[in-house]
Amino acid sequence: MALNVVLYEPEIPANTGNIGRTCMATGTRLHLIEPLGFRLGEKELRRAGMDYWDQLDVTRYADYEEFLEKNPGAKIYMATTKGPRAYTEVHFEPDCYLMFGKESAGIPEEILHDNKETSMRIPMLPGTRSLNLSNSVAIVVYEALRQNEFSNMELTGHLRNYDWD
């Protein structure tokens, strides 16, 4: 199983760093669609991603069209506050792409309009603008992993000085 997270024009380095760490912890590939609102070498990005950033499977694209060209036939689910269904109503394939928009504006409506059948939302109380981007990514990634039985993931933890017996 190899999920893919796609960030459309991310603006805040700390969010992208946190998302990178989530991707490392879950074996998820990260795709960044430019323009980015920061340089990838910024200390905030590395701090949030900790020492994992250099090990991350990350690909950058000049724009959305290049992303589509280089990933033909990809099943792309669009996470948006404008989505017609909850993310829990979606069946995620093991190698699907989970796309999230930039912090200030989300995914452009013309892209969403063309992808109604794969657009989804995280339920929130009325009047709530949105969740933090890195939190949204974690919520949806872990639902996709749960649906695929956490393939290749460690499911139990261990105490250092005791047994769980």
Side-chain angles (χ1 to χ4, degrees), residues 86-106:
Y87 73 100
T88 53
E89 297 175 38
V90 174
H91 172 72
F92 297 104
E93 296 85 354
D95 59 349
C96 66
Y97 290 70
L98 309 171
M99 185 170 161
F100 300 82
K102 61 182 165 183
E103 291 90 340
S104 66

Side-chain angles (χ1 to χ4, degrees), residues 4-155:
N4 297 273
V5 165
V6 181
L7 301 182
Y8 180 90
E9 301 180 3
E11 300 166 317
I12 301 174
N15 282 338
T16 301
N18 288 331
I19 291 164
R21 185 170 182 168
T22 297
C23 289
M24 279 300 304
T26 60
T28 300
R29 296 181 193 115
L30 180 61
H31 304 263
L32 302 175
I33 298 174
E34 296 184 4
L36 308 180
F38 51 87
R39 292 186 328 265
L40 281 178
E42 288 186 20
K43 66 181 179 181
E44 296 88 354
L45 177 67
R46 294 197 183 277
R47 184 181 306 133
M50 299 198 56
D51 57 346
Y52 299 103
W53 190 260
D54 292 336
Q55 302 167 34
L56 183 62
D57 183 354
V58 61
T59 306
R60 292 170 65 175
Y61 305 90
D63 53 34
Y64 182 64
E65 289 72 27
E66 181 185 10
F67 166 75
L68 292 176
E69 287 172 15
K70 292 192 174 177
N71 296 284
K75 182 69 173 199
I76 307 167
Y77 294 99
M78 311 272 175
T80 171
T81 58
K82 302 169 179 86
R85 73 191 56 76
Y87 73 100
T88 53
E89 297 175 38
V90 174
H91 172 72
F92 297 104
E93 296 85 354
D95 59 349
C96 66
Y97 290 70
L98 309 171
M99 185 170 161
F100 300 82
K102 61 182 165 183
E103 291 90 340
S104 66
I107 299 169
E109 286 196 3
E110 60 269 16
I111 294 174
L112 295 173
H113 183 263
D114 293 341
N115 293 280
K116 178 183 177 184
E117 67 283 351
T118 59
S119 292
M120 61 184 171
R121 66 176 279 114
I122 297 170
M124 294 176 283
L125 292 174
T128 304
R129 193 166 51 100
S130 65
L131 293 173
N132 174 275
L133 179 61
S134 61
N135 292 337
S136 297
V137 170
I139 288 167
V140 178
V141 163
Y142 271 91
E143 174 61 15
L145 291 168
R146 184 195 66 78
Q147 287 183 16
N148 288 279
E149 300 178 4
F150 296 106
S151 178
N152 299 319
M153 299 186 81
E154 188 173 27
L155 297 177

